[in-house]
Amino acid sequence: MAYLVRNILFRTQLTRGYKQFLFAGSKYFSSTSIEGSASLDADDDVPHFPGLKSKFTDKLEFVNAEEEGHIPVYRVMNRKGEITDKENEPTLSREIIEKVYRKMTLLSTMDRVLYESQRQGRISFYMTNYGEEAAHFGTATALDPEDLIYGQYREAGVLLWRGFTLDDCMNQCFATELDRGKGRQMPVHYGSKKLNFVTISSTLATQMPQAPGAAYAIKRSGKPLCVACYFGEGAASEGDAHAAFNFSATLEVPVLFICRNNGYAISTPSSEQYRGDGIAGRGRGYGIRSIRVDGNDLFAVHNATKAAREYAVRESKPALIEAMTYRIGHHSTSDDSTAYRSKDEVSYWDKLDHPIARLRRYMVSKEWWDDEQEEKWKRDARLQVMQAFGRAEKAVKPPMKDLFTDVYDEMPRHLAEQYEECSAHVSKYPNEYPIDNYASNE
Amino acid sequence: MAAISTCRFHRFLKKSMVCKNLTSSLVAKNQAKHASTFTYVAETPQTDGEVKRMNLFQALTDAMDIVLETDESAVIFGEDVAFGGVFRCTVGLRDKYGKDRVFNTPLSEQGIVGFGIGVATAGSTAIAEIQFADYIFPAFDQLLNEAAKFRYRTGNLFDCGKLTVRAPCGAVGHGALYHSQSVEAFFSHIPGLKVVIPRGPIQAKGLMLSAIRDPNPVIFFEPKVLYRQAVEDVPVGDYELPLSKAEVLMEGSDVTMVGWGTQLHILREVANMAKDQLGVSCELIDLRTILPWDIETIEQSVNKTGRLMIAHEAPKTSGFGAEIASTIQERCFLSLEAPIQRVCGWDTPFPHIFEPFYIPDKWRCFEAIKKMTNF
């Protein structure tokens, strides 16, 4: 956009601008500026351009991204669940690790049940978290519960870690009267004020520039907290991602950008999403400290997030974590991923490099977990999920009035009239509307 | 002509010796064509308290000064606001309140509004500036899909009600396509937003204080041609003017005229012309808030006069005049004695050299009055 035009217009708005133009206009085109340069040292042969700190070169060389190499993937335990460097031994206690494992598998169980229920038409839509569980729990366990979180939509594990219950999830997906979102959004658009998790919206990357804004307010409040912002590698192509990275760096705010790079944005492979060194490779360009981690390794994700958080809060600066992982499930219930990728590819990640399996191997090697516990927990988890499912499916929907509330803090007159009109109409045609499924407006 | 004498530029030229040389008289000639098509009539403050002579941009600075003084969480940000803004609206505020409260952002409108939503969601007062309303569109997604829907979609768990987005709008004589637009109708179609446009300094200060303190996201469009031209005695104290409340500026019995922003001053002149030349009594209403708008005041007026004319700078098709016309037709069908008239910008982009033919000036509005009263 021709922003320069603004400055021209601005100048024409000012009397002083006219004076300069009319009386001293020639100044801009004369050689008088040479006098001004006398204060500069002629022998000082370094660049003085305000836009950078650098040096001159006599060689005509383009920067070659391919030759620069790639940011390595930080890993703590290998695919067998073995810690590769004792220095990196997780700081998480056995108790926490076991709790993480139970919640990871609970999420996976809920995913299976809700995915199937969508196939049966019992809920309208669902998105699973298969394969990305370590990215959720690894980051969530490293954050302070007071840190504000902005998500994309595939971060249910973060909520579960913070205390979001199965009932909370089910109430949202079934849009029951108990849904805190009042049944207005599609399934999996969770949110919780109590758990400092900003409600999900469908628009990709819009949460990204909001995160530095919230971080700015938090920084001014003096609280030693940060904001964590999750997004996929596809969303990182949006203009809002660019704005977010740049604002967070220039305004110096404590925000963690956590990218789940799972290889696909719906059907688009990452090779069609970008040509640079992934998302972490962009951090340097914005002046953001960045790291790439094995997103299927709970401990690698945790360690990186913990260090990034400490840095962000201490220095009041942003950090970028790119968690490399694989989207094992379909993009959503509206997608059949076999149309654009092979079953073998999916099977590799599911069978040979799954974050849950890797953590289980680690726990088994420590003798913290065995087959008997696994079987018992599987049954328990499934029971818990089915019970919550049953409660939500039977529950009544929110009152029709909630269609009209919360558009503004108070219902304006024109909306109140529309609410009355809608009520009167539905009362006149009660058999044409599913009123019995909804709570009373009183 | 009074209109010209109120223009700073021409005042300067008249005083200046340079005026006599060829270059500047050419400038004067060109500028004269673009000179104000209206006369700004200063209003009288409704107060016994202290007043100070301010133009529109100073009144806005004064409002923001009060907010920064009384609300420690409030921050102002946007492109070039730190040194005082390209229209001088934030002059002195950074020196007074610190660089963490009045600061420049990178040049990205979607970033500015997104950032502002975040500040507001975290509970602080966010006053974001978009340098020209013409450049608000990169932020349209953030305003439409995020700011406006935040409270609704979260079930009131979260909101960004502490966000106010300021943007200079409207014709300025020579702004052409991207420094002239009136974009309010795009935002009038967004449930969850409030859209406010003041007509002068007293109004601007009171409405801005209300907009910033309103617990809903508000877009505040500032008619940039009035920044310097509109000067009046503004109360120095802290006062608010209600949102969603139109104001009847002149009472009349034959025709209701509705406008907002700069157009209001054109309509004021048209009302006088109609009275003097046609003996027609016009009721002049400043809508002030585009969304949610004050249906009742317009409805009452039209039920009394039986005729309605709406005038706005923005293009006619789907302009906000269409919304007013259809609503009033629905509510006042039995009272209407003539078709509702809309005098608007043409359905073209806003042109540079053709601006005098583009804008809904007093002659076009006057002609519409004649047409309606002869119907």
Side-chain angles (χ1 to χ4, degrees):
Chain A
M1 245 168 254
Y3 287 97
L4 281 179
V5 178
R6 300 179 183 183
N7 285 336
I8 294 165
L9 189 88
F10 162 50
R11 208 169 272 150
T12 62
Q13 296 269 329
L14 295 176
T15 308
R16 212 181 75 198
Y18 276 110
K19 272 181 189 158
Q20 282 176 349
F21 180 70
L22 294 171
F23 295 107
S26 61
K27 180 179 142 192
Y28 298 119
F29 310 105
S30 75
S31 58
T32 49
S33 59
I34 288 173
E35 291 163 29
S37 67
S39 60
L40 293 175
D41 183 351
D43 295 330
D44 169 15
D45 197 19
V46 292
H48 289 290
F49 309 112
L52 79 154
K53 291 175 193 148
S54 186
K55 59 188 180 190
F56 287 118
T57 175
D58 302 326
K59 290 190 185 120
L60 196 161
E61 278 180 333
F62 290 91
V63 174
N64 189 334
E66 283 168 23
E67 279 172 17
E68 281 192 336
H70 299 277
I71 297 170
V73 183
Y74 169 70
R75 183 178 77 169
V76 169
M77 64 178 159
N78 63 22
R79 296 186 188 112
K80 294 175 191 161
E82 298 160 351
I83 305 291
T84 52
D85 182 345
K86 290 290 168 202
E87 291 267 303
N88 292 332
E89 190 79 51
T91 51
L92 294 166
S93 69
R94 174 186 171 170
E95 188 195 357
I96 296 284
I97 292 171
E98 196 181 318
K99 193 173 162 194
V100 165
Y101 183 77
R102 286 177 187 274
K103 292 215 170 191
M104 268 184 171
T105 42
L106 189 67
L107 172 62
S108 202
T109 308
M110 180 180 79
D111 274 353
R112 258 188 295 280
V113 168
L114 287 177
Y115 182 82
E116 288 308 320
S117 77
Q118 194 282 335
R119 302 279 90 176
Q120 296 162 8
R122 294 158 89 172
I123 58 173
S124 61
F125 179 78
Y126 194 68
M127 298 176 109
T128 63
N129 301 276
Y130 299 142
E132 301 183 38
E133 293 88 348
H136 301 183
F137 290 92
T139 48
T141 49
L143 297 171
D144 186 292
E146 298 286 308
D147 290 340
L148 189 66
I149 291 177
Y150 284 86
Q152 179 167 305
Y153 48 62
R154 214 182 296 282
E155 293 92 7
V158 178
L159 270 163
L160 288 188
W161 180 255
R162 288 202 162 188
F164 211 61
T165 65
L166 290 173
D167 285 316
D168 292 332
C169 293
M170 300 287 179
N171 283 323
Q172 200 282 328
C173 289
F174 280 96
T176 76
E177 191 184 20
L178 296 175
D179 170 25
R180 299 298 301 271
K182 305 186 187 174
R184 290 170 182 149
Q185 291 211 90
M186 283 173 78
V188 311
H189 290 55
Y190 306 122
S192 172
K193 181 81 174 171
K194 192 178 73 182
L195 302 175
N196 299 302
F197 192 105
V198 180
T199 305
I200 301 292
S201 70
S202 306
T203 41
L204 286 182
T206 45
Q207 80 279 17
M208 294 182 71
Q210 294 171 17
Y216 192 89
I218 287 167
K219 174 188 167 183
R220 282 198 70 234
S221 75
K223 290 179 193 154
L225 296 172
C226 75
V227 173
C229 176
Y230 294 80
F231 56 99
E233 90 285 351
S237 296
E238 292 280 4
D240 278 325
H242 166 60
F245 293 144
N246 204 24
F247 275 56
S248 68
T250 60
L251 298 172
E252 300 187 341
V253 290
V255 59
L256 302 188
F257 291 109
I258 301 167
C259 178
R260 295 175 294 93
N261 188 337
N262 62 18
Y264 289 91
I266 306 187
S267 74
T268 306
S270 46
S271 61
E272 291 170 23
Q273 199 63 247
Y274 54 76
R275 283 298 158 94
D277 182 18
I279 309 306
R282 296 177 196 170
R284 184 181 165 189
Y286 293 101
I288 297 177
R289 198 170 277 202
S290 308
I291 190 168
R292 174 173 290 145
V293 301
D294 183 341
N296 294 346
D297 175 350
L298 177 82
F299 302 141
V301 177
H302 175 83
N303 287 357
T305 310
K306 194 174 168 212
R309 185 186 183 280
E310 279 167 12
Y311 162 79
V313 173
R314 186 183 66 240
E315 305 278 330
S316 193
K317 283 180 181 161
L320 170 60
I321 299 167
E322 182 182 24
M324 304 308 296
T325 179
Y326 186 84
R327 195 195 78 212
I328 291 174
H330 301 300
H331 164 69
S332 73
T333 48
S334 310
D335 170 53
D336 173 10
S337 66
T338 59
Y340 51 81
R341 61 181 188 179
S342 74
K343 280 187 175 161
D344 288 350
E345 180 187 305
V346 178
S347 171
Y348 165 81
W349 292 96
D350 195 21
K351 301 286 185 300
L352 298 174
D353 194 3
H354 199 288
I356 294 179
R358 203 192 293 194
L359 182 61
R360 184 159 70 236
R361 288 188 198 108
Y362 172 84
M363 290 166 70
V364 169
S365 75
K366 289 273 183 187
E367 298 185 347
W368 295 349
W369 196 254
D370 57 30
D371 289 350
E372 196 185 324
Q373 278 170 296
E374 178 74 13
E375 279 310 307
K376 183 176 180 302
W377 171 239
K378 263 188 185 170
R379 282 195 305 275
D380 279 3
R382 186 158 176 86
L383 186 66
Q384 283 183 36
V385 170
M386 293 314 295
Q387 284 173 342
F389 182 92
R391 284 192 289 272
E393 196 173 34
K394 272 181 256 151
V396 70
K397 308 291 177 209
M400 183 271 277
K401 186 178 185 179
D402 281 345
L403 159 61
F404 294 93
T405 56
D406 300 331
V407 178
Y408 296 90
D409 65 320
E410 286 172 357
M411 203 185 287
R413 179 183 288 247
H414 73 287
L415 262 188
E417 284 176 12
Q418 290 175 22
Y419 167 49
E420 278 170 32
E421 189 181 334
C422 183
S423 300
H425 175 77
V426 171
S427 306
K428 197 170 171 188
Y429 296 91
N431 298 329
E432 310 303 329
Y433 295 92
I435 47 176
D436 294 342
N437 300 344
Y438 294 77
S440 152
N441 284 325
E442 300 316 313
Chain B
M1 214 176 122
I4 291 174
S5 70
T6 56
C7 172
R8 268 181 95 103
F9 172 59
H10 284 272
R11 226 165 38 212
F12 163 66
L13 278 183
K14 276 181 187 167
K15 285 181 202 159
S16 170
M17 295 298 286
V18 185
C19 192
K20 287 178 184 127
N21 81 32
L22 183 65
T23 314
S24 52
S25 55
L26 273 177
V27 171
K29 191 180 162 201
N30 279 325
Q31 290 294 322
K33 281 185 197 160
H34 297 317
S36 312
T37 50
F38 61 92
T39 307
Y40 188 81
V41 179
E43 290 176 31
T44 315
Q46 307 292 313
T47 178
D48 301 329
E50 198 187 334
V51 296
K52 196 181 161 193
R53 206 149 179 78
M54 294 182 204
N55 62 26
L56 184 79
F57 82 65
Q58 290 162 336
L60 292 166
T61 312
D62 195 45
M64 288 186 275
D65 194 344
I66 288 171
V67 170
L68 289 169
E69 178 78 42
T70 53
D71 175 358
E72 212 285 317
S73 80
V75 290
I76 297 175
F77 50 89
E79 294 157 15
D80 308 301
V81 300
F83 86 112
V86 299
F87 287 112
R88 321 310 290 153
C89 293
T90 51
V91 166
L93 296 179
R94 182 160 80 152
D95 290 342
K96 195 168 172 187
Y97 296 102
K99 60 181 196 236
D100 70 316
R101 300 190 66 192
V102 181
F103 52 92
N104 290 338
T105 65
L107 203 161
S108 165
E109 285 76 14
Q110 63 199 103
I112 291 167
V113 173
F115 183 88
I117 293 169
V119 170
T121 303
S124 294
T125 299
I127 305 167
E129 179 181 305
I130 298 295
Q131 208 162 69
F132 285 82
D134 310 66
Y135 303 127
I136 204 167
F137 296 102
F140 199 69
D141 183 40
Q142 286 285 350
L143 289 163
L144 162 72
N145 280 324
E146 293 290 317
K149 299 173 175 43
F150 224 100
R151 188 190 299 276
Y152 188 76
R153 73 156 186 250
T154 67
N156 205 19
L157 290 179
F158 296 93
D159 69 79
C160 61
K162 286 173 174 278
L163 171 68
T164 305
V165 177
R166 300 176 38 237
C169 74
V172 69
H174 52 281
L177 286 79
Y178 308 112
H179 298 86
S180 307
Q181 291 180 70
S182 295
V183 302
E184 64 274 6
F186 293 98
F187 297 93
S188 71
H189 197 54
I190 306 181
L193 286 185
K194 293 194 176 182
V195 181
V196 179
I197 307 179
R199 67 171 185 271
I202 296 170
Q203 294 293 311
K205 181 178 172 183
L207 288 170
M208 168 141 288
L209 283 165
S210 296
I212 293 171
R213 291 162 179 167
D214 188 272
N216 299 285
V218 181
I219 304 184
F220 196 88
F221 288 120
E222 301 160 4
K224 68 177 95 64
V225 75
L226 301 178
Y227 274 142
R228 288 164 183 280
Q229 276 201 53
V231 181
E232 57 200 20
D233 292 328
V234 179
V236 295
D238 186 343
Y239 65 95
E240 294 177 19
L241 294 170
L243 304 187
S244 295
K245 192 84 197 86
E247 186 182 1
V248 180
L249 290 179
M250 291 167 75
E251 294 201 2
S253 54
D254 299 329
V255 178
T256 299
M257 296 199 300
V258 177
W260 50 89
T262 315
Q263 194 64 29
L264 221 281
H265 305 295
I266 291 172
L267 294 182
R268 194 197 298 263
E269 220 168 319
V270 172
N272 291 331
M273 286 162 73
K275 189 177 168 196
D276 296 345
Q277 298 177 32
L278 310 171
V280 169
S281 161
C282 293
E283 181 142 305
L284 178 62
I285 301 180
D286 181 2
L287 192 63
R288 298 198 291 193
T289 300
I290 304 297
L291 184 75
W293 65 289
D294 182 359
I295 297 170
E296 203 178 29
T297 298
I298 315 295
E299 186 183 344
Q300 278 173 5
S301 175
V302 175
N303 277 334
K304 178 176 73 176
T305 62
R307 293 178 189 86
L308 172 63
M309 183 186 82
I310 309 144
H312 56 65
E313 285 179 13
K316 185 173 188 177
T317 301
S318 296
F320 197 66
E323 180 60 36
I324 299 174
S326 63
T327 304
I328 294 304
Q329 182 270 143
E330 207 171 58
R331 296 188 181 233
C332 308
F333 188 71
L334 295 176
S335 310
L336 285 168
E337 291 169 23
I340 296 169
Q341 293 293 305
R342 287 182 286 153
V343 187
C344 313
W346 307 116
D347 287 340
T348 69
F350 198 109
H352 184 221
I353 202 63
F354 306 115
E355 180 170 322
F357 309 110
Y358 174 87
I359 52 171
D361 65 7
K362 61 183 172 191
W363 303 110
R364 281 178 57 201
C365 294
F366 182 64
E367 183 58 26
I369 297 280
K370 279 205 240 174
K371 204 168 153 186
M372 290 170 82
T373 46
N374 291 332
F375 184 80

